[in-house]
Amino acid sequence: MDVNEFKKRGKEMIDFIAEYYENVDNMPPMSSVKPGYLYSLIPHEAPEEPESFENIQQDIETKIMPGMMHWQSSNFFGWYPSSGSFPAMLGDMVSSMFSIIGFNWICSPAATELETVVMDWLGKLIGLDSRFMAIKEDGTEGDGGGVIQGTASEAHIVVMIAAREMAVDRLKSYGMNSNDIDMIRHTLVAYFSDQTHSAGQKATSIIGCQARIIPSDASFRLTKCALQAAITKDRQDGLIPFFVCATFGTTNTAAIDDLYGIADVADSEHLWLHIDAAYAGAALVCPEFRPLARGIERAHSFNFNAHKWLLTNFDCSALWVADSTHLVNALSIEREYLPKVKGATDFVKDYRNWELPLGRRFRSLKLWFVMRMYGASGIRAYIRKHVKEAKWLEA
């Protein structure tokens, strides 16, 4: 495909996408195919010779489309939102155009710096405390900041690793050496409710610590008293509490944990407090909903998925830390093929040290497009419209 055919096919694909959105509400939202349907419809080996765009397009319509769940249909009410938008798609197109592997600032300075700026934009838009901003009001670099992860599950793992680093530093301050600490790593305990997303428990399996699942109350919330009781028992049993996840909008019922009370316990027990707002966090763009989230200003980390309820196509999971020190210390590995900036390094963030993968896409572009083309007022109107519709259904 040369550039002229790309122009032609690109315009045709835009028309195809537009027509899909014009008609998606008329399609059954759920697929009715049986497992293995596609295996019998497509060849079992890659083609030896090039195929035409027309044939590929026909296969999308006749073979792929029947097996799709139409998440963007207004008739789809499963799981949680996956709200895309045309501005986000355009941003993704530009990202694909550049096709960078942006593991550090040198790879593409604009990719790193736009992410830093846009995550500060978004943090301010949802009312996050200034501790979470990468750039202070006076224009100097802060200790915190935001980074775009692929999913909230990745964010869970990343912050739990940072929490473990913080716990290890604390043990060292008590006089323990590295060998002693290695012998007791398995006694570290992370706390969740029985309503916390499964990503939390999966993260404990990955990093090799224990998971304590605490029964929620009658309102499906994790409470201060229940958390404190669990920690007290574990300390008596010789375990080391180090991390707690509180949820703002659980997957099952959209319940909100006792964020402020949990923060009290986290402070007194020296635990890393992570707040998972993967679904409901987008509501915080509206000031009237922020009282529901009292306590997030005291967290070590906060995460929500812009790809769920903020008009940004998957994947775009926004994670902030109040202090990136433990995160970077835990995930920073230097190699000769990972060059560092020489001289002044203010505002130079190597986001490879803020996540699990080395390579990363230019995801901030689509978020930038959304925030600019909708504006804060348009995003708030979008959220408020959904809340109004939900109240109508509730009534």
Side-chain angles (χ1 to χ4, degrees):
M1 180 180 286
D2 60 20
V3 69
N4 291 319
E5 186 180 4
F6 175 72
K7 289 179 182 179
K8 179 177 184 295
R9 300 307 187 185
K11 291 172 183 175
E12 292 173 2
M13 188 55 68
I14 290 291
D15 287 342
F16 175 74
I17 293 170
E19 290 172 6
Y20 170 79
Y21 274 86
E22 288 173 342
N23 294 294
V24 68
D25 288 350
N26 299 321
M27 305 175 185
M30 290 186 63
S31 170
S32 60
V33 301
K34 303 297 183 184
Y37 91 99
L38 194 57
Y39 189 76
S40 63
L41 296 178
I42 61 176
H44 296 170
E45 296 180 2
E48 184 68 29
E49 301 299 330
E51 295 189 40
S52 69
F53 180 84
E54 287 85 359
N55 286 348
I56 298 171
Q57 179 68 27
Q58 184 179 26
D59 281 350
I60 290 174
E61 296 180 19
T62 61
K63 298 173 183 176
I64 302 301
M65 196 70 76
M68 294 305 299
M69 184 86 77
H70 299 293
W71 285 63
Q72 307 308 318
S73 169
S74 60
N75 299 308
F76 178 80
F77 296 98
W79 296 293
Y80 35 72
S82 176
S83 58
S85 68
F86 296 131
M89 291 182 202
L90 294 175
D92 252 347
M93 289 174 63
V94 178
S95 176
S96 295
M97 176 187 77
F98 289 123
S99 192
I100 66 166
I101 304 175
F103 48 82
N104 66 8
W105 184 89
I106 292 176
C107 291
S108 276
T112 294
E113 296 195 13
L114 183 64
E115 185 160 341
T116 300
V117 171
V118 167
M119 288 299 289
D120 272 8
W121 279 14
L122 185 56
K124 293 173 183 176
L125 186 61
I126 63 173
L128 282 186
D129 188 82
S130 60
R131 296 185 309 127
F132 294 100
M133 300 301 112
I135 303 172
K136 298 178 182 178
E137 290 297 326
D138 63 5
T140 60
E141 190 172 14
D143 294 325
V147 59
I148 299 175
Q149 304 284 332
T151 66
S153 298
E154 292 174 39
H156 248 115
I157 299 168
V158 164
V159 297
M160 199 175 291
I161 291 171
R164 183 179 62 185
E165 182 77 9
M166 185 176 79
V168 166
D169 284 352
R170 189 168 192 83
L171 293 173
K172 288 179 179 178
S173 73
Y174 297 153
M176 295 185 68
N177 61 42
S178 296
N179 290 334
D180 292 337
I181 292 171
D182 286 343
M183 294 293 291
I184 62 171
R185 281 179 183 265
H186 67 282
T187 65
L188 292 171
V189 184
Y191 296 85
F192 314 93
S193 85
D194 54 13
Q195 299 298 305
T196 305
H197 193 277
S198 59
Q201 192 169 354
K202 181 179 287 188
T204 64
S205 297
I206 291 171
I207 76 162
C209 68
Q210 298 187 36
R212 184 71 63 241
I213 309 300
I214 302 171
S216 54
D217 68 5
S219 298
F220 306 105
R221 302 161 65 244
L222 176 60
T223 64
K224 175 180 179 178
C225 292
L227 174 62
Q228 184 63 71
I231 291 173
T232 299
K233 182 180 185 305
D234 282 341
R235 288 202 187 279
Q236 291 171 349
D237 292 341
L239 301 177
I240 305 174
F242 81 108
F243 176 93
V244 59
C245 176
T247 305
F248 179 77
T250 59
T251 303
N252 281 341
T253 63
I256 299 171
D257 288 339
D258 177 14
L259 304 181
Y260 205 85
I262 292 169
D264 285 342
V265 177
D267 284 348
S268 64
E269 297 286 352
H270 307 294
L271 272 60
W272 180 291
L273 171 57
H274 175 61
I275 295 182
D276 174 16
Y279 157 54
L284 299 178
V285 301
C286 303
E288 63 267 30
F289 301 129
R290 291 176 192 165
L292 297 171
R294 178 174 174 265
I296 67 171
E297 70 282 356
R298 300 171 63 190
H300 292 83
S301 54
F302 177 85
N303 168 243
F304 89 94
N305 289 339
H307 60 244
K308 278 194 171 74
W309 198 13
L310 205 78
L311 296 158
T312 307
N313 294 55
F314 188 84
D315 54 349
C316 188
S317 186
L319 170 67
W320 289 267
V321 290
D323 186 339
S324 63
T325 302
H326 296 296
L327 180 63
V328 173
N329 287 347
L331 296 177
S332 178
I333 297 176
E334 304 302 329
R335 292 290 186 271
E336 58 275 5
Y337 49 81
L338 301 172
K340 301 184 72 172
V341 175
K342 296 179 181 179
T345 58
D346 289 349
F347 308 109
V348 174
K349 295 189 183 300
D350 284 352
Y351 281 124
R352 65 185 174 85
N353 298 328
W354 292 53
E355 64 175 14
L356 298 177
L358 174 64
R360 56 201 326 271
R361 298 188 297 113
F362 197 173
R363 285 178 290 215
S364 59
L365 267 175
K366 57 188 172 187
L367 191 56
W368 191 49
F369 271 56
V370 167
M371 295 176 75
R372 293 186 68 183
M373 296 188 75
Y374 279 92
S377 62
I379 295 171
R380 292 189 192 104
Y382 171 81
I383 296 292
R384 285 170 177 151
K385 179 176 180 290
H386 285 183
V387 172
K388 182 178 178 181
E389 290 169 347
K391 288 185 179 297
W392 178 83
L393 283 171
E394 185 181 34

